[in-house]
Each structure stands twice: as C-alpha cells, then as structure tokens.
Amino acid sequence: MLKLLNLLKDGRFHSGEALGAALGVSRSAVWKQLQHLESELNLTIHKVRGRGYQLAAPLALLEAQAIAGFAVGEQWPVFIHETIDSTNAEGLRLASEGQAAPFLVLAERQSAGRGRRGRQWVSPFAENLYYSLVLRVDGGMRQLEGLSLVVGLAVMRTLQAFGVKDVGLKWPNDVLVRGQKITGILLELVGDPADVCHVVLGIGINVNMQVNEQVDQQWTSMRREVGAAIDRNHLVALLSQQLQHELARHRRYGFAAFQEEWEQAHLWQGRNVSLVAGSTRIDGVVLGVDGQGGLRLEVDGMEKSFSGGELSLRLRDDS
C-alpha cells in the first residue's frame, strides 16, 4: 500500500495501467488497493475515466532521508511506520527488546494513539506528527524531575520557529495557542526507576490537520495558525535539534534551570484553577512551579505543591 501511495503522492493523475506496471500487479489489484487506501486511511481519490486516479491533494510522507537533510548535530536512529498502534507503545517494545537508546519512532497514523489519563489521541493519516523519543536514564528518578515541562518548552520554541504565534504552556503537558490545544505530551517509563530505566517522550502535534470532528476539545494546528502547509520532515529535524539542546541542559543543571522561563510561558499563571485527581478537587491560585516541576498553588492562603501523572488542571469560572 505504501508503494502505491508513493506513486500517487504527487497529486497528479496516474493511469491504472501505469500503476499496475509499476507495482507488478493487475489493474484489478490496483483497484482493490485504491479502495483500501480510501477506507483504511480516509484518503480521497479522484477517479476519472481516460485519465486514471489522483489523490485529492498532494501528500508529503515522512522519510528518514528527508529528515536527515534538514538535521543539524546528532542524528538519532529513526523508525518510521505507515500505521502502528502507538509510537509510544512501539518505543517501549523496542527498548524492551534491546534497541539501543536514544532512538526515534514516527508514524503516519496511529490506530490506538493515547494521551494522558488513557484518553484517545486522534491520529489522521499523514497530517500530524506522532513522535516518540526513547531515552535511557541512569541514576534514578531525579533525572526525570520536570522532564515533561522541559519537553513542552522545546515544543513551544519549535512551533515559534515555524511562525506560530501566541503559543504557551499549560501545566503539566499541554501546548496551547489562544486556549486551543496544538500539542500533547505523554511520558512513559519501562525498567527500574530507581536504577536504569527507559523513558519515552511521546509528542503529538497538530500539524496540517484542518478539519476533524473526532477531537472532543478546542484545538488548532500549525497550518491553521500560519496559513500554509508545514513540511513534517523539517519539523521532525527542528524538534529533535531543540530537544537535544534542552535535554542536555536538563541533564547538567536539572529542572531548576528552567523554572523561571517555564513560568513565563505558563498561560495560567495567577489564574483561579481547580486541580482534579479522581473525585478529589482542590481550588487555588496558580503561583508557578517548583524546582522539581510540581505545580505551586495558593490554597486557603497557604502555598502547596502538587505533582503526579493523574492530575488534571482546569480553569475556574471565576478566573
């Protein structure tokens, strides 16, 4: 199926005979593959008698060679999938099988993409970025303090480099533009967190998506914000470069070195919020984050810090 997509991705008409010859299959087999592309990947293909078949819009696929062409500095091994359950899940599998870290897993589509607290991450084919970086962590949990917040800063700066304006952060794992979600971040661990483990930095960015009725919250995309299609291979290279820089700084100095700049980028500083954990709700005012990346709230006149992967932060009506 990927071979057929590569033939059609230029957005031009291709005859069934030419496609069959290139693939070494019959015209009827080409027709079946085309139907599969439409049903499985939700792609629109125009069929015109006498002219052949044409994608409704040209398609730019992720390619390791193209990413390398944009790369500066260290290049991580990259595994690119047409369709996979989840890039994070594949990263965890590869780490458990002995793949040396760091390495990168990308996909054109996820069949079971997930966000924080078990939520689905909507993953249309070849429109967005589904990116998982796997790192080996030696020396215990301290190496992970504030890591998701550092990733958020790296993503924010990458989006700004592509011309996205009014972008900021929401504790702990979201990147927003004017209150609309553009990026989600999910960190997962495998191994012994007290000794040697692997952490997967999962990043989902809405890149060229313009319409999607499956998303159940306010969202935007890079293309919506800048008014033009984004080269996802260029985005992968620039994001990787930014992550290399910020992760090296985090390893050397810890999250405390990022605390002030993260607070400056936090969109909900000083806002009235509710922090929700299961059936428990804590109301307070956002003061910032602590040196480990925990959320600092003023609660009933006292400062308290909170951290944990199952916490949800919401604005209160009186904010």
Side-chain angles (χ1 to χ4, degrees):
M1 191 165 64
L2 193 56
K3 289 183 178 179
L4 179 57
L5 265 181
N6 276 307
L7 294 171
L8 293 170
K9 69 180 182 180
D10 58 10
R12 299 174 181 175
F13 275 104
H14 298 265
S15 71
E17 183 178 0
L19 292 172
L23 296 172
V25 299
S26 67
R27 292 179 65 177
S28 63
V30 169
W31 174 254
K32 289 180 181 178
Q33 287 194 41
L34 289 166
Q35 289 180 307
H36 187 63
L37 288 178
E38 287 188 301
S39 63
E40 291 296 314
L41 304 184
N42 199 30
L43 296 173
T44 299
I45 300 174
H46 299 312
K47 310 170 187 67
V48 178
R49 186 180 294 276
R51 300 192 69 186
Y53 308 100
Q54 176 194 49
L55 281 176
L59 200 60
L61 300 176
L62 294 168
E63 298 178 4
Q65 187 173 356
I67 294 168
F70 288 112
V72 176
E74 179 188 358
Q75 294 184 44
W76 296 313
V78 58
F79 300 87
I80 301 175
H81 298 267
E82 176 190 325
T83 299
I84 201 168
D85 54 352
S86 156
T87 56
N88 264 29
E90 178 65 6
L92 291 169
R93 284 191 292 265
L94 288 172
S96 66
E97 292 167 5
Q99 172 63 41
F103 63 88
L104 189 57
V105 180
L106 307 173
E108 297 290 3
R109 183 182 70 147
Q110 297 179 118
S111 59
R114 58 186 188 271
R116 291 182 66 240
R117 293 181 290 125
R119 289 178 173 170
Q120 178 192 18
W121 187 265
V122 176
S123 307
F125 183 82
E127 290 189 347
N128 298 330
L129 186 61
Y130 319 117
Y131 176 114
S132 293
L133 172 62
V134 182
L135 304 173
R136 176 186 164 109
V137 178
D138 298 282
M141 290 293 288
R142 189 171 182 185
Q143 303 289 324
L144 305 174
E145 289 178 350
L147 188 57
S148 66
L149 279 66
V150 172
V151 174
L153 275 171
V155 172
M156 183 187 76
R157 293 191 176 116
T158 302
L159 297 182
Q160 290 170 333
F162 277 89
V164 179
K165 301 183 184 302
D166 302 318
V167 57
L169 305 173
K170 174 200 162 189
W171 188 91
N173 288 32
D174 290 340
V175 183
L176 309 178
V177 176
R178 298 184 307 280
Q180 303 170 99
K181 190 164 181 174
I182 194 168
T183 299
I185 297 163
L186 177 65
L187 270 61
E188 296 185 277
L189 289 171
V190 62
D192 183 356
D195 186 16
V196 177
C197 64
H198 286 84
V199 59
V200 184
L201 313 181
I203 302 170
I205 302 178
N206 296 333
V207 183
N208 291 319
M209 184 167 69
Q210 298 190 83
V211 178
N212 198 306
E213 297 179 357
Q214 291 181 276
V215 183
D216 61 359
Q217 59 184 302
Q218 292 294 312
W219 63 275
T220 189
S221 67
M222 296 178 70
R223 183 168 184 171
R224 277 186 173 184
E225 295 303 317
V226 305
I230 301 296
D231 186 325
R232 293 179 304 138
N233 291 301
H234 189 192
L235 177 60
V236 170
L238 196 59
L239 175 58
S240 297
Q241 181 183 342
Q242 191 69 52
L243 281 168
Q244 285 174 23
H245 179 267
E246 303 300 359
L247 291 172
R249 192 154 68 105
H250 181 262
R251 282 193 299 271
R252 185 171 182 181
Y253 301 110
F255 179 72
F258 297 84
Q259 183 176 352
E260 183 177 350
E261 58 194 287
W262 196 94
E263 290 180 341
Q264 289 174 352
H266 193 206
L267 297 169
W268 290 6
Q269 286 291 112
R271 305 290 295 274
N272 296 321
V273 298
S274 295
L275 189 65
V276 180
S279 59
T280 302
R281 184 179 113 170
I282 301 168
D283 293 335
V285 178
V286 176
L287 299 176
V289 291
D290 61 26
Q292 292 75 47
L295 181 69
R296 296 189 297 119
L297 291 183
E298 181 184 314
V299 181
D300 297 328
M302 297 180 62
E303 179 177 325
K304 297 183 178 181
S305 289
F306 302 88
S307 60
E310 298 304 312
L311 297 175
S312 174
L313 191 65
R314 304 171 186 171
L315 283 176
R316 293 212 318 261
D317 292 339
D318 57 346
S319 181

